[in-house]
Amino acid sequence: MRLLPRRLLSRLMLLIALLLAVSIYASLKIFDYFDREPRATTAALQAVTIVNYTRASLIASHENRRLALLSELSGREGVRVYAADFLEDIEPLPDDPFINLIAEKIRERLGVETIITVNHYGIPGLWISFNVELDDFWVVIPKIQVDRPFPWHWLGWGAVVGLLSLLGAYLIAARINRPLNLLVHAADRLRNGEPAPRLPEDSVDELRDVSRTFNEMADSLVRLDNERTLLLAGVSHDIRTPLARLRLAVEMLPENSNYMKAGMIEDIADMDNIIHQFLDFVRGVEGEPTRMMDINGLLHALSERQARAGRNLKLKLTSTYFIPLRPLAMQRLLDNLVGNAYAYSKGDVEVVSKITAEKIVISVLDNGPGIPPEHAERLLRPFERMDNARNKNEGGSGLGLAICNRIAKLHRGSLELINRPEGGLEARLTLPIQQ
């Protein structure tokens, strides 16, 4: 989640670079399109002027002097004049919009009968026909005079503009990305139940309202949590006090009412246990800091606690591996799973741990009746019970597995209830190695 703003920044920069490249290319094409007409007109006027001056010079000269004049005109300013024979093979103009536009404008001024070609006889240039009396001639204008060189300078300026635009976009995106990073970090801490730091409200205008709203939401959650804790503490005190008096009164009943007395004491213990589960669920464990711990150490301590209660908990553990855990929360999760397994099993409970490249899997196995598969996910929600499915009528509030599931998610893990093929239930806890 913390990498999202960085990926967003890269994609934003890539999108801006792509849009700049497309816009620069489109600008060059639009410039070339609108610049084609005036360039073609200028080139056509230049060609028409050369043809008219050449033709006028030949007309003004004596017939005997025309060949000498042709030789003198050829080669001047790169323009050449040749005698023409229009029975020769003349190739059509190439499929070049600019050359065809020049030819069209030349014919508008010299006449539609004017023959125009390029690179005739292998000599590069624009070849334009004209006649003097009964003689036909070619004027060859070098190609360099009608073609515009590739606008490298425009590309250079376009590259400079693109780089400056990318730099400006990067600075703007980085300016926006900083409050986004803070928002993601604060939301991540809030999601894990940790106190979220206040976001600065002097950020960019687009995110100022978001930061202010987030701070108000975080403050409201803190107030709500404090009020909830205070309320539950009061309820716990007010209910447990009469329960204690009731327990004392039951203990003082006559000895001949042992059966009634045992039932009432059991009911009072169930009520006290339900209140304890309510408090555990609502109080939560999010505020407990994490530390690097070996899950096997917690499982060995769990086995010792069960042994003191007269239970033989079987352990089948993998190698030692340290991961970040909330010790008290994880201890509560394991105690709840094992206690639940003993409550519904036939006396045999086993804990198995496995490690893979990315996760640690802890399975609590019992040999009880199992549960209907369609109710596996529902049992992980608060106040859900399936006592009938497990053939038991134990007291409780239906919060034990919900607390376990909450703690598993707090560690970025998952809890699953799976029926075993050989009978019984597997409570599978999966914890990621990297959190």
Side-chain angles (χ1 to χ4, degrees):
M1 189 173 179
R2 290 171 182 166
L3 296 178
L4 178 61
R6 196 169 296 174
R7 290 199 300 266
L8 180 63
L9 178 61
S10 339
R11 292 174 182 173
L12 181 61
M13 295 300 299
L14 182 61
L15 177 62
I16 292 174
L18 180 62
L19 291 176
L20 280 174
V22 171
S23 63
I24 290 174
Y25 176 78
S27 300
L28 288 175
K29 297 300 289 185
I30 293 172
F31 175 78
D32 181 70
Y33 175 80
F34 286 102
D35 186 54
R36 185 184 303 164
E37 179 86 15
R39 284 194 300 117
T41 301
T42 301
L45 287 175
Q46 177 187 12
V48 168
T49 300
I50 293 173
V51 170
N52 287 335
Y53 273 116
T54 303
R55 186 169 180 275
S57 299
L58 292 177
I59 291 175
S61 65
H62 193 273
E63 289 187 8
N64 296 333
R65 293 281 303 164
R66 282 181 181 174
L67 290 178
L69 182 60
L70 284 175
S71 299
E72 186 177 349
L73 290 175
S74 293
R76 287 195 175 186
E77 302 299 329
V79 178
R80 299 182 181 183
V81 183
Y82 299 103
D85 180 4
F86 294 134
L87 296 178
E88 58 194 271
D89 292 331
I90 300 174
E91 295 183 4
L93 288 171
D95 189 18
D96 185 331
F98 184 65
I99 296 296
N100 282 277
L101 187 58
I102 292 176
E104 178 183 344
K105 293 186 176 297
I106 290 175
R107 290 192 181 101
E108 287 177 0
R109 289 168 172 80
L110 297 181
V112 294
E113 70 281 359
T114 303
I115 300 174
I116 302 172
T117 187
V118 294
N119 303 336
H120 195 38
Y121 290 129
I123 301 174
L126 183 66
W127 292 59
I128 305 172
S129 70
F130 70 95
N131 58 74
V132 177
E133 296 176 355
L134 298 178
D135 296 325
D136 297 316
F137 300 93
W138 289 111
V139 169
V140 183
I141 303 173
K143 190 175 181 181
I144 192 173
Q145 296 188 16
V146 296
D147 271 358
R148 185 187 66 177
F150 190 80
W152 293 106
H153 58 290
W154 285 108
L155 285 183
W157 282 112
V160 171
V161 170
L163 289 176
L164 290 177
S165 301
L166 283 176
L167 178 61
Y170 176 80
L171 295 176
I172 295 173
R175 179 77 175 93
I176 297 176
N177 190 51
R178 180 178 174 275
L180 277 179
N181 271 325
L182 294 175
L183 177 61
V184 169
H185 175 68
D188 194 42
R189 294 195 58 175
L190 198 63
R191 180 175 63 90
N192 290 331
E194 301 172 359
R198 290 189 63 81
L199 299 179
E201 298 182 8
D202 59 344
S203 58
V204 291
D205 295 339
E206 292 79 3
L207 294 174
R208 183 177 295 118
D209 291 340
V210 175
S211 299
R212 183 183 301 112
T213 304
F214 182 87
N215 289 334
E216 292 174 355
M217 179 192 69
D219 293 341
S220 298
L221 289 176
V222 170
R223 286 195 302 270
L224 180 62
D225 187 66
N226 293 335
E227 292 170 359
R228 179 187 65 178
T229 303
L230 181 62
L231 174 64
L232 288 171
V235 170
S236 172
H237 178 269
D238 292 344
I239 293 180
R240 281 181 168 173
T241 298
L243 279 179
R245 291 198 299 266
L246 183 60
R247 176 70 178 266
L248 181 61
V250 170
E251 293 288 350
M252 297 176 64
L253 287 174
E255 294 295 334
N256 56 4
S257 57
N258 283 340
Y259 179 77
M260 183 189 309
K261 180 178 178 180
M264 295 178 67
I265 291 175
E266 185 177 349
D267 288 341
I268 293 172
D270 287 344
M271 293 171 66
D272 190 64
N273 183 54
I274 289 174
I275 293 174
H276 183 70
Q277 283 191 347
F278 270 113
L279 292 176
D280 279 349
F281 181 77
V282 180
R283 186 185 300 118
V285 292
E286 290 84 355
E288 183 185 4
T290 60
R291 58 176 176 161
M292 299 301 294
M293 294 191 65
D294 177 22
I295 192 70
N296 289 351
L298 290 176
L299 293 176
H300 282 298
L302 172 65
S303 176
E304 293 173 1
R305 288 195 300 275
Q306 296 299 321
R308 288 194 294 270
R311 296 170 176 171
N312 181 25
L313 179 63
K314 300 177 183 178
L315 297 181
K316 186 178 179 181
L317 306 181
T318 185
S319 57
T320 297
Y321 198 95
F322 285 80
I323 60 174
L325 296 173
R326 290 175 167 87
L328 294 179
M330 189 56 59
Q331 176 182 317
R332 184 183 304 173
L333 183 153
L334 296 173
D335 282 338
N336 282 351
L337 290 183
V338 171
N340 192 67
Y342 273 114
Y344 295 101
S345 72
K346 299 173 183 178
D348 294 330
V349 176
E350 182 180 7
V351 177
V352 179
S353 66
K354 295 182 292 185
I355 185 171
T356 66
E358 298 179 351
K359 57 190 178 182
I360 291 179
V361 180
I362 302 167
S363 298
V364 178
L365 311 174
D366 66 47
N367 56 359
I371 60 174
E374 63 273 15
H375 296 299
E377 291 187 8
R378 186 166 69 86
L379 283 176
L380 299 177
R381 298 198 293 264
F383 307 109
E384 296 288 349
R385 299 175 59 186
M386 289 293 296
D387 294 333
N388 293 335
R390 299 270 271 178
N391 297 322
K392 288 283 183 179
N393 190 20
E394 301 288 342
S397 61
L399 287 174
L401 289 176
I403 293 173
C404 294
N405 189 44
R406 183 174 180 178
I407 295 173
K409 290 182 177 179
L410 186 64
H411 288 82
R412 302 179 189 267
S414 63
L415 179 63
E416 301 172 274
L417 302 179
I418 305 169
N419 286 316
R420 302 172 65 192
E422 62 271 24
L425 185 71
E426 174 188 358
R428 181 181 298 172
L429 172 65
T430 303
L431 298 173
I433 291 177
Q434 300 292 336
Q435 294 190 26

